[in-house]
Amino acid sequence: MKNILLIMPYGSVGGMERLALNFYNQYKSQGYTVKAIKIIQLDSDIIHFGEDEIALSKVDFYQMSFLKRFWFYCKTPFLIHQIIKKNKITHSISFGDMANVFSSLSFTKEYKIGSIHALKSVEFVTKSFLNTVFKLAFQSTYRFFNKVVCISEAIKKDLLEKCNYKFPKNIQVIYNPHDIKNIEELAQFPLESNFEEELFKHKVVLFLGRLSAQKAPWHLLKAFSLLENRDNSIKLVFVGDGDQNITNHLTQLVTQLGIQKNVVFLGRKSNPYPYLKKASVLVLTSYYEGTPNVIVEAIVCQTPIVSSNCTDGIRELMSCKEYSVAGDLITTESGIITPNFYKGSLDIPIEEAITKEEIIFSKALKNVLYCEDYASKLIENRTQLLSKFNLEIIATTYIS
């Protein structure tokens, strides 16, 4: 009998947390004993694991003093060690850099699985204590993993060629799984208010995710402002929350661009899928990604996509086998990929002039909003696009 431990940093509605919940439900359905560690558990958590949830702290890092945070970093591997021994864990899966490092330092003998979910070389451009630790771990403590899962070929290549990763034999590429049936069922729920129902009677450009520097939502606002929308029939809707500095900047930018009547921030939603299903197009302007779950979720909900080319993994998700290139636009079975916005900095930009990439993104938005062929092509190819994300097969592949 397998006793499985899932380790994640938080319980928000991010991609890694939803992945952990999918695994939890799948392994429980197979009769396994499953425990889930949240390194930080907060009252605002959306992802929950009931009586199987273990919190290492109920205070967020930014609320800790420097000494308390340092002590917490030091004791966390020992706490994980104790949990593994107490629950006779046979397999552990950690999600993301922080969980990976703590797991690798727990010095336990279960079948140990780590996972990489983004292009690390881009993240490491930002100099910080934690990024230094994470990078050093690629050359040292990751040797203790039996398997390190990269969620795309692009991430594996980045890890080996740009991050000085020292243990190529333990890397395996496995796409993120998705509980497609569950997403389909959740997408049938009504929206939360009459206001939202009326809002989604318009053409809606939807951003779904955390408002962070990585997601670069300011480019989306500027690209959206270029659309001809004199009758206010097109709305840009943000579902998700995030860094307060980011949200403050976005609010100011909306006013500067004069699009207050067209932009709505709905905050986090415990069930985002009805919004995704009712949207006209899902958008992603990220500087970098791994294989973003929201792309697959949009395909499940039959919503076409416009995404920046934030990683080669995007093409792995958005196309079956072939795609066409016309100028700066890559057209796939599920939508359009535009040039990457990343210029070497993850900071909020000081320059406010419209960029070439924003003009191209706006053009792609216009194409999808006013041509039904994109939605039709997605529906036609949906089954094939989703065939590589089978939850049961992938969950088994992780622990075998």
Side-chain angles (χ1 to χ4, degrees), residues 324-352:
S324 62
V325 180
D328 295 304
L329 300 181
I330 301 172
T331 301
T332 73
E333 293 90 341
S334 57
I336 300 176
I337 302 171
T338 72
N340 194 356
F341 292 101
Y342 182 63
K343 301 295 183 183
S345 172
L346 299 178
D347 296 329
I348 295 174
I350 299 174
E351 176 61 50
E352 296 180 355

Side-chain angles (χ1 to χ4, degrees), residues 205-244:
V205 177
L206 179 68
F207 173 98
L208 173 57
R210 182 170 174 76
L211 295 169
S212 65
Q214 173 196 345
K215 304 292 185 182
W218 39 82
H219 292 300
L220 173 57
L221 284 176
K222 291 162 72 180
F224 179 80
S225 72
L226 298 175
L227 290 173
E228 292 185 7
N229 191 24
R230 295 186 183 89
D231 60 354
N232 297 322
S233 62
I234 307 172
K235 305 295 182 181
L236 173 57
V237 177
F238 289 85
V239 172
D241 60 8
D243 185 297
Q244 192 62 50

Side-chain angles (χ1 to χ4, degrees), residues 222 249 253 256-257 349-355 358:
K222 291 162 72 180
H249 175 69
L253 188 55
Q256 291 172 18
L257 294 170
I350 299 174
E351 176 61 50
E352 296 180 355
I354 298 295
T355 68
E358 290 161 355

Side-chain angles (χ1 to χ4, degrees), residues 294-313:
V294 72
I295 296 291
V296 181
E297 292 163 351
I299 295 171
V300 174
C301 293
Q302 302 181 14
T303 301
I305 302 146
V306 174
S307 173
S308 63
N309 194 18
C310 43
T311 169
D312 289 342

Side-chain angles (χ1 to χ4, degrees), residues 54-65:
I54 302 168
L56 301 189
S57 173
K58 295 187 178 181
V59 177
D60 208 345
F61 289 115
Y62 75 90
Q63 298 173 299
M64 302 178 189
S65 68

Side-chain angles (χ1 to χ4, degrees), residues 163 179 272-273 321 329:
C163 299
D179 190 338
Y273 302 118
K321 290 183 179 180
L329 300 181

